[in-house]
Amino acid sequence: MLKLKPKIKTFYISVATITFFVLTVFVIMFLFGDYFKVSNEGVKKIYYADNISQTHKLVIDRFNEENKGRIEVVPINLPFEKFSTNERKELLIRFLRSKSDRVDLFSVDQIWVPRFAKWTEPLTKYFPPSQHQQIIDEAIGTCFYKDDLVALPLYFDIGILYYNNSFLKKLPDYSSIKNELNNSITWDRFISIGQKLKQPGHSFYVFPSDDYEGLMCSFVEMLESQNEKLFVNDTIRLNTKAAENALQLLVDLVNKYNLTPKEITDFRETESYFHFINHQDVFLRGWWGFYEWYSNNIKNEDVSNIYEKAPMPHFSGGKPASIIGGWNLMISKYSKNKSEAMEFVKYLLSDEVQKISYEVGGYLPIKRSIYSDTTFVKKHPELKFYNKVLKSGVHRPFSEKYTKCSDIIASYLNLAIQNQIGVKEALGKAQRIINSGDVFIK
């Protein structure tokens, strides 16, 4: 380890990752170079960086048609299949640090908001407090930094336990188990069921466990289930019994109970989803949009009766906890078209587009009016389940330190699940590096 002066904060360096990002910047500049040419036609072009799904394309095309000759949104695609959340974060930071006006609008994971606030336009003058009540509390609450509104939510997400119903129906106590699942089953009971259902070629529980933010979601869920916080007064807390319990369970699912395949240490969401489908596994830790993912990547059909959903399990004596996720929109402070970018943001927040985004892409609405629309909810009764799970929803820490700390923690969690390092040692090393100011090199 290289020792830094005590006043210098911990940061994370990976030579391979930096090389990847440098190459990526050149690739993106090459692919999208024409997008950045100044138009002489009087049309304001808004360059929007995001994972541009088919739903995004549909909505962008509608907006561009309605505003033809005045505003054009130009998408810059940073697909989840090619960029992890961490890679996407670092790529955007590099653009913004250069004070470039090449990107006007971009989406961020909710927990990035404190990290990106210094590069973004305050939004209160465009979206005053009187309008905040239009948005559900759990979503608008992620958009502030030091009491300033610096972002607006694009869509909402929450951790969900999916299960292959055909396997559970084989058990004599199926009805009882299904009832337990619907009310958040305990991890102890979950494991005991898994030991009954072991079958060659089928895994019992699949969860993304690569060295990235998705693993942190599972870890923080388990902490919160024990009424424990990762940060207390902006100080990281990994030397607790709850943190040890959480990591030990993640390790044991793979290495002690053999309920989870060892290869998950290389899995992110997409790999987990494919494994769950292709191997006919029993349980999956996923997100709300799993059904839409299936429709877009496997087969265009409704599989909600085959793969049913339940709240995440919880620790005995604890409480159910599901991580609240989602992506927010931020406008670059270096943009020359802030008003036009905000016009597009408000279009995305309109009831019409919120409904389209849910029905076409499975993106959970963030407007209160959608959930109070009885006709819409009657058409989509699954939203009642969402409201149930939301009651146990928890956030990852909203701290400017979090993203740097999570990079380090995720690396050691991953090593522990691989059985390359012990649980206490993993947590202890992560805590020491974060507190010490050492340079962290993977």
Side-chain angles (χ1 to χ4, degrees):
M1 293 287 181
L2 300 174
K3 188 70 176 177
L4 298 182
K5 294 180 180 179
K7 291 185 179 180
I8 298 178
K9 294 182 179 180
T10 301
F11 64 100
Y12 152 89
I13 293 177
S14 169
V15 175
T17 303
I18 290 175
T19 303
F20 170 78
F21 288 144
V22 171
L23 291 173
T24 301
V25 170
F26 281 110
V27 169
I28 288 179
M29 292 300 295
F30 177 77
L31 291 176
F32 299 105
D34 289 343
Y35 287 177
F36 301 132
K37 292 179 181 177
V38 177
S39 171
N40 296 318
E41 301 173 359
V43 177
K44 293 291 183 72
K45 292 195 173 185
I46 305 302
Y47 300 105
Y48 169 38
D50 202 341
N51 169 61
I52 306 297
S53 67
Q54 291 301 314
T55 307
H56 287 75
K57 290 177 183 176
L58 171 64
V59 172
I60 289 170
D61 288 346
R62 287 170 62 99
F63 178 85
N64 287 343
E65 183 61 31
E66 291 179 19
N67 293 275
K68 195 170 184 177
R70 194 171 68 86
I71 305 174
E72 179 187 354
V73 174
V74 182
I76 302 173
N77 191 18
L78 302 177
F80 289 131
E81 292 79 12
K82 295 182 180 179
F83 298 91
S84 72
T85 51
N86 293 0
E87 291 165 351
R88 187 167 157 185
K89 174 188 66 181
E90 294 300 327
L91 183 58
L92 287 171
I93 285 173
R94 290 173 189 277
F95 271 119
L96 294 167
R97 278 179 177 161
S98 70
K99 299 183 179 180
S100 171
D101 62 356
R102 289 171 174 160
V103 175
D104 298 285
L105 177 70
F106 55 93
S107 69
V108 297
D109 188 317
Q110 290 176 346
I111 58 164
W112 299 353
V113 168
R115 182 85 181 273
F116 279 80
K118 59 188 172 186
W119 296 303
T120 55
E121 174 78 357
L123 301 181
T124 300
K125 64 181 177 182
Y126 306 99
F127 202 84
S130 60
Q131 297 180 20
H132 295 179
Q133 62 183 1
Q134 298 175 7
I135 301 174
I136 59 177
D137 292 341
E138 292 81 3
I140 193 67
T142 68
C143 296
F144 291 89
Y145 179 67
K146 295 183 178 178
D147 297 325
D148 289 330
L149 184 71
V150 294
L152 283 170
L154 174 60
Y155 66 88
F156 209 56
D157 217 339
I158 195 159
I160 300 289
L161 181 70
Y162 292 92
Y163 60 94
N164 190 329
N165 209 27
S166 61
F167 279 95
L168 295 188
K169 284 182 176 178
K170 298 175 183 178
L171 297 177
D173 50 351
Y174 166 72
S175 296
S176 174
I177 291 172
K178 188 173 177 66
N179 183 61
E180 289 181 79
L181 287 169
N182 289 339
N183 291 283
S184 178
I185 197 169
T186 66
W187 282 112
D188 289 341
R189 177 73 170 131
F190 183 78
I191 290 166
S192 70
I193 294 170
Q195 291 171 332
K196 293 179 184 178
L197 275 179
K198 281 185 181 180
Q199 295 186 36
H202 305 286
S203 297
F204 181 71
Y205 180 52
V206 178
F207 65 95
S209 188
D210 196 5
D211 172 7
Y212 84 122
E213 186 60 30
L215 177 55
M216 286 297 296
C217 289
S218 290
F219 180 65
V220 175
E221 260 172 359
M222 290 181 171
L223 280 179
E224 292 279 352
S225 174
Q226 301 171 80
N227 300 299
E228 182 72 35
K229 298 292 182 184
L230 182 60
F231 275 81
V232 176
N233 297 324
D234 216 30
T235 300
I236 195 78
R237 283 170 50 87
L238 292 172
N239 56 349
T240 65
K241 183 62 178 175
E244 186 179 334
N245 291 341
L247 180 53
Q248 189 66 62
L249 177 55
L250 294 172
V251 170
D252 288 347
L253 285 166
V254 177
N255 299 290
K256 178 180 178 181
Y257 304 118
N258 298 314
L259 298 178
T260 298
K262 294 184 183 298
E263 57 264 35
I264 64 152
T265 54
D266 291 323
F267 284 7
R268 296 175 182 176
E269 278 83 4
T270 298
E271 292 86 358
S272 295
Y273 289 0
F274 274 120
H275 196 283
F276 178 65
I277 299 299
N278 294 336
H279 292 259
Q280 299 183 51
D281 300 326
V282 185
F283 285 94
L284 166 74
R285 195 276 178 205
W287 296 98
W288 181 269
F290 169 71
Y291 294 146
E292 292 301 325
W293 175 90
Y294 185 97
S295 179
N296 292 328
N297 292 276
I298 306 296
K299 188 177 180 181
N300 186 16
E301 63 179 357
D302 181 6
V303 291
S304 58
N305 289 327
I306 301 172
Y307 304 114
E308 297 199 25
K309 53 187 178 293
M312 290 300 299
H314 66 280
F315 278 93
S316 299
K319 63 179 183 180
S322 291
I323 285 290
I324 293 172
W327 290 76
N328 294 343
L329 294 167
M330 304 183 87
I331 296 175
S332 169
K333 69 189 293 185
Y334 310 112
S335 168
K336 296 178 181 177
N337 300 304
K338 297 183 180 71
S339 295
E340 290 78 11
M342 190 64 194
E343 192 169 337
F344 177 58
V345 172
K346 288 185 175 181
Y347 179 79
L348 294 175
L349 296 182
S350 68
D351 283 20
E352 178 187 12
V353 172
Q354 286 279 295
K355 289 178 180 178
I356 291 172
S357 296
Y358 181 69
E359 293 184 326
V360 177
Y363 298 112
L364 274 170
I366 50 83
K367 296 282 291 294
R368 293 182 187 275
S369 54
I370 306 300
Y371 297 99
S372 61
D373 184 331
T374 54
T375 301
F376 189 77
V377 173
K378 185 176 181 180
K379 185 179 178 182
H380 300 286
E382 69 277 5
L383 289 173
K384 294 179 181 178
F385 172 82
Y386 156 74
N387 281 325
K388 176 182 178 180
V389 177
L390 185 58
K391 292 177 182 177
S392 61
V394 294
H395 286 287
R396 285 160 290 168
F398 285 105
S399 168
E400 194 169 355
K401 297 178 181 178
Y402 175 75
T403 56
K404 293 180 180 180
C405 293
S406 69
D407 286 346
I408 296 170
I409 298 168
S411 181
Y412 280 102
L413 298 180
N414 177 267
L415 288 174
I417 296 170
Q418 290 186 57
N419 243 358
Q420 293 188 24
I421 188 172
V423 167
K424 288 186 177 180
E425 184 182 2
L427 295 172
K429 283 189 173 181
Q431 177 92 44
R432 285 193 295 274
I433 292 172
I434 290 168
N435 291 339
S436 70
D438 285 351
V439 175
F440 179 62
I441 302 177
K442 288 190 180 182

